[in-house]
């Protein structure tokens, strides 16, 4: 049975991992997340670990770099240029940008493109605006939802912070039709220190993550996997369906 839980309040994608995101009114949900989301990332060239990506947890200033696509650029969802904090516009794959990021980081980096995206845990992240407000209340400050770097922000019908935890193992559908795009909720979103960084200044506020730890064991929002593709739109109704148990015997 489908249970109406809320509406899509906002949609975001992040063309370059850890750089500024962009709000969307409509987005295409593909098998590997929102089209154009986290398809690019800087690799630390001297890093031989399984996670060589340079993120804002290591270089907070990354949040201040803004990807965009010039109209005369190539077609598609990938950005063509990056606007630096000093208001320079540099080509995404140019040496100038790599040198600028490497200088700030203190080690060489290389821009990489992965067709299926560069994700930490799963391709879609979701959080309710009520959860963000509650964390802000506990932290003693008004929080911008962009701190949480979600793909989908939910405006709940039943205003209960951390309600996302109740969706584990279930399915969220964007629309009521049988072929509506849908995601399977796989795990809670365990937060890292990036949560402390202001998206407009990159200045830290450790009380934000401390509030999440106190309130919900350091979890805020959920991760999910795409099970039906289609179009997402701001304002779309979101439905929840619990996982059905398999019959025993045969």
């Amino acid at each position: 049975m489908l249970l109406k839980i809320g509406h899509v309040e906002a949609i975001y994608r992040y063309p370059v991992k850890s750089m500024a995101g962009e709000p969307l009114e409509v987005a295409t949900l593909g098998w590997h997340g929102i089209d154009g989301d986290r398809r690019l990332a800087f690799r630390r060239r001297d890093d031989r670990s399984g996670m060589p990506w340079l993120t804002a947890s290591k270089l907070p200033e990354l949040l201040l770099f803004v990807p965009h696509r010039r109209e005369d650029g190539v077609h598609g969802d990938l950005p063509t240029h990056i606007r630096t904090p000093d208001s320079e516009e540099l080509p995404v794959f140019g040496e100038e940008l790599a040198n600028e990021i490497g200088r700030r980081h203190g080690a060489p980096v290389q821009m990489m493109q992965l067709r299926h995206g560069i994700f930490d845990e799963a391709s879609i992240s979701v959080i309710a605006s009520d959860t963000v407000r509650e964390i802000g209340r506990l932290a003693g400050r008004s929080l911008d939802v962009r701190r949480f770097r979600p793909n989908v922000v939910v405006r709940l019908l039943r205003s209960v912070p951390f309600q996302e935890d109740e969706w584990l193992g279930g399915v969220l559908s964007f629309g009521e039709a049988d072929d509506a795009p849908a995601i399977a909720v796989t795990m809670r979103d365990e937060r890292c220190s990036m949560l402390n960084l202001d998206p407009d200044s990159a200045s830290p506020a450790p009380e934000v993550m401390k509030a999440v730890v106190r309130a919900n064991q350091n979890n805020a929002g959920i991760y999910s996997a795409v099970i039906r593709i289609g179009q997402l739109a701001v304002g779309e109704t979101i439905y929840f369906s619990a996982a059905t148990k398999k019959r025993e015997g045969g």
Side-chain angles (χ1 to χ4, degrees):
M1 184 180 73
L2 293 179
L3 174 67
K4 185 189 295 186
I5 60 170
H7 299 85
V8 176
E9 184 170 307
I11 302 170
Y12 292 93
R13 70 177 171 196
Y14 309 87
V16 183
K17 190 174 178 66
S18 273
M19 287 190 180
E22 58 179 335
L24 302 171
E25 289 297 315
V26 178
T28 299
L29 182 67
W31 294 118
H32 303 288
I34 290 176
D35 282 4
D37 186 44
R38 295 176 173 92
R39 272 25 180 195
L40 302 172
F42 272 106
R43 178 181 70 87
R44 292 170 286 157
R45 290 172 56 181
D46 296 333
D47 190 289
R48 297 293 182 267
S49 71
M51 285 294 291
W53 315 115
L54 179 63
T55 67
S57 60
K58 296 179 175 63
L59 181 64
E61 296 163 77
L62 274 180
L63 293 172
L64 309 181
F65 286 76
V66 182
H68 69 97
R69 187 169 68 85
R70 289 184 177 176
E71 291 184 4
D72 59 351
V74 295
H75 294 290
D77 295 307
L78 295 181
T80 60
H81 290 74
I82 305 293
R83 187 170 66 250
T84 74
D86 300 321
S87 298
E88 287 187 274
E89 286 202 0
L90 304 177
V92 166
F93 290 102
E95 288 187 14
E96 285 182 284
L97 179 62
N99 290 340
E100 175 68 9
I101 298 294
R103 178 185 66 79
R104 291 172 182 258
H105 175 51
V109 297
Q110 178 185 20
M111 179 68 86
M112 301 292 292
Q113 177 181 347
L114 275 74
R115 185 175 62 177
H116 294 160
I118 304 116
F119 305 101
D120 292 338
E121 298 291 349
S123 60
I124 294 289
S125 61
V126 180
I127 197 166
S129 50
D130 296 80
T131 297
V132 174
R133 282 193 291 273
E134 175 65 7
I135 294 168
R137 186 187 70 81
L138 295 171
R141 56 169 60 220
S142 178
L143 298 181
D144 191 316
V145 71
R146 292 177 299 153
R147 279 182 184 267
F148 297 79
R149 297 182 72 80
N151 292 119
V152 178
V153 181
V154 181
R155 183 174 71 254
L156 296 169
L157 295 180
R158 181 170 60 94
S159 181
V160 178
F162 304 105
Q163 186 181 143
E164 304 95 317
D165 292 356
E166 300 175 10
W167 306 337
L168 282 173
V171 171
L172 298 182
S173 301
F174 300 93
E176 199 172 7
D178 290 341
D179 61 349
I183 55 178
V185 181
T186 56
M187 62 190 296
R188 297 196 291 175
D189 191 339
E190 184 176 353
R191 294 296 173 168
C192 69
S193 60
M194 276 187 65
L195 194 65
N196 292 329
L197 300 175
D198 184 282
D200 292 321
S201 66
S203 58
E207 62 269 25
V208 178
M209 190 166 173
K210 289 177 182 177
V212 180
V213 171
R214 292 197 310 272
N216 202 37
Q217 298 83 50
N218 199 30
N219 296 293
I222 52 93
Y223 281 121
S224 55
V226 179
I227 58 174
R228 283 197 303 271
I229 62 175
Q231 293 290 114
L232 301 182
V234 171
E236 183 66 75
T237 303
I238 304 175
Y239 295 87
F240 171 76
S241 57
T244 55
K245 294 182 179 180
K246 293 182 179 179
R247 288 184 176 182
E248 294 184 1

